[in-house]
Amino acid sequence: MRMGEHRKGIAAAAAIIGTAALAWAGWALRATGTGAKSVEDAVNVVSAAVGVIVGLASLAVSWLGYRANRRQHAGGLPLTDIVDEFAVAVRAQWEAEARTRRLNDPYPLPVSWAPAEPAYRPDADASALSGTDADITDVFDRVPGGRLVVLGEPGAGKTLLLVRLLLGLVERRAPGLPVPSSSRSPPGTPPARTWPTG
């Protein structure tokens, strides 16, 4: 929203709020009648109307300013900068996950893995897909198609491996390039070994 549009929006909101508050004040004044008590009531009504006008106008100005600032900020950033900000957020999220799970406290927990049966990796060399610990980032580069499925029993280290992989990929990511992500199967999903292949 340009500054001229922003000011027009503020003026329109103030006019609508002011008109409504004055109409309400006029109706309230007619309803109070005459006499000393009614003058006091009229002053109270006018004070309330002024308070409503000022309060609602302040709210409208704040809201319109907030919206204009958000639009200006979003429209002013190139897509590569937005992606880079997202990468920073992803890294912070996975570093927090590593701290929460104490994956490096007091020392990095060791994890090793082996490739799946040949039916699940028809295009990959088995020896190139084995490794331990932080090797996962380099091994991932050798995976055809750039996709990886991690299988294992509960407590085998699947989450630890995933966290290390994502942190390694985000760390070596060049500015403007895609941000690594992960997805987990929902609870109750049949094991991957039972999925149809073909």
Side-chain angles (χ1 to χ4, degrees):
M1 180 182 280
R2 289 178 291 231
M3 190 54 85
E5 293 174 7
H6 177 67
R7 287 186 180 139
K8 286 180 187 176
I10 291 173
I16 291 170
I17 292 168
T19 303
L22 289 175
W24 173 73
W27 173 81
L29 285 174
R30 284 193 64 188
T32 57
T34 58
K37 180 69 175 156
S38 61
V39 170
E40 184 181 328
D41 290 342
V43 169
N44 289 339
V45 168
V46 169
S47 298
V50 168
V52 167
I53 291 171
V54 170
L56 291 177
S58 300
L59 180 63
V61 167
S62 298
W63 174 250
L64 291 171
Y66 168 77
R67 285 185 44 158
N69 186 28
R70 298 295 294 167
R71 285 184 180 153
Q72 180 182 9
H73 179 70
L77 286 178
L79 184 56
T80 55
D81 289 351
I82 294 171
V83 170
D84 292 343
E85 283 185 22
F86 178 63
V88 169
V90 166
R91 182 178 186 156
Q93 172 193 356
W94 287 106
E95 285 173 344
E97 182 74 15
R99 281 190 304 276
T100 300
R101 293 177 179 268
R102 300 182 63 183
L103 300 182
N104 298 312
D105 183 22
Y107 55 87
L109 294 172
V111 175
S112 61
W113 65 90
E117 295 88 30
Y120 296 105
R121 52 170 177 76
D123 299 334
D125 174 27
S127 63
L129 299 179
S130 298
T132 59
D133 301 324
D135 296 342
I136 187 64
T137 307
D138 295 327
V139 170
F140 182 74
D141 287 336
R142 297 188 292 265
V143 174
R147 291 177 289 179
L148 182 67
V149 176
V150 179
L151 304 173
E153 299 297 323
K158 298 180 300 295
T159 300
L160 170 61
L161 197 62
L162 172 71
V163 171
R164 284 192 181 149
L165 173 62
L166 288 170
L167 285 174
L169 292 173
V170 169
E171 183 175 315
R172 70 179 191 185
R173 175 190 164 273
L177 292 180
V179 179
S181 62
S182 74
S183 62
R184 294 183 180 200
S185 299
T189 302
R193 289 185 176 90
T194 64
W195 295 352
T197 59

